[in-house]
Amino acid sequence: MGTTVSGIVARAARIGLFLRLSSVGFSSLKGDAVRVLAGRQGSRPGSLVVRDMTIEGGDRGLVVLNAGSVRVEGVNVSGCRRSGLHFSSCHDARVATVTSVGNGLDPIQEGDGLVATYCKGLRITDSSFTENTRRGISLGEETHECSQTVIG
């Protein structure tokens, strides 16, 4: 009781990781649904591809930490207590055809569709971030590009 546990945890080595899950559902998980650690701080970050995934529930839907080249495509995330997607310390991240809707169900901590902190070169295309309790996308101070993206 009260323990925070992630549903799926994956570590990417320097050579990289490809992750594909058709559907992941968590109804009462006290932790992140899918957490990917692409490298340790101070080490050379690994590359990562996340494709064709549906996540429902969890504290945060998809969390990617310390990644080099990141590709997230065809991901749908909803019903998380906090943010749908969270990227931190990532380089050359590409997000395409992602839908993040109805996140931020925690009554105390509202949530965003996508949060990116300490990310360089984040590009978001053909994606939708709607009906989240706080913001569609919350970005840090690095350079980012968005095109054909619905934010609400």
Side-chain angles (χ1 to χ4, degrees), residues 27-139:
S27 60
S28 59
L29 181 66
K30 292 185 179 179
D32 302 325
V34 179
R35 175 181 280 257
V36 181
L37 309 168
R40 295 182 181 167
Q41 280 192 321
S43 70
R44 186 173 147 215
S47 61
L48 170 69
V49 176
V50 178
R51 186 174 291 145
D52 303 328
M53 182 183 300
T54 299
I55 301 170
E56 295 180 9
D59 190 37
R60 294 177 293 184
L62 172 64
V63 178
V64 178
L65 305 171
N66 196 31
S69 173
V70 180
R71 302 294 178 263
V72 177
E73 302 169 354
V75 172
N76 299 301
V77 61
S78 64
C80 297
R81 282 191 301 282
R82 291 172 48 202
S83 58
L85 295 100
H86 185 101
F87 296 94
S88 184
S89 299
C90 297
H91 305 280
D92 187 31
R94 303 289 184 254
V95 175
T97 60
V98 167
T99 301
S100 181
V101 61
N103 297 296
L105 301 179
D106 187 306
I108 298 171
Q109 295 183 358
E110 295 177 330
D112 302 316
L114 179 143
V115 174
T117 58
Y118 306 106
C119 291
K120 293 183 180 180
L122 173 64
R123 174 178 269 171
I124 302 169
T125 58
D126 301 323
S127 297
S128 176
F129 304 89
T130 59
E131 300 176 35
N132 299 289
T133 58
R134 192 164 58 175
R135 291 180 287 262
I137 298 176
S138 176
L139 301 177

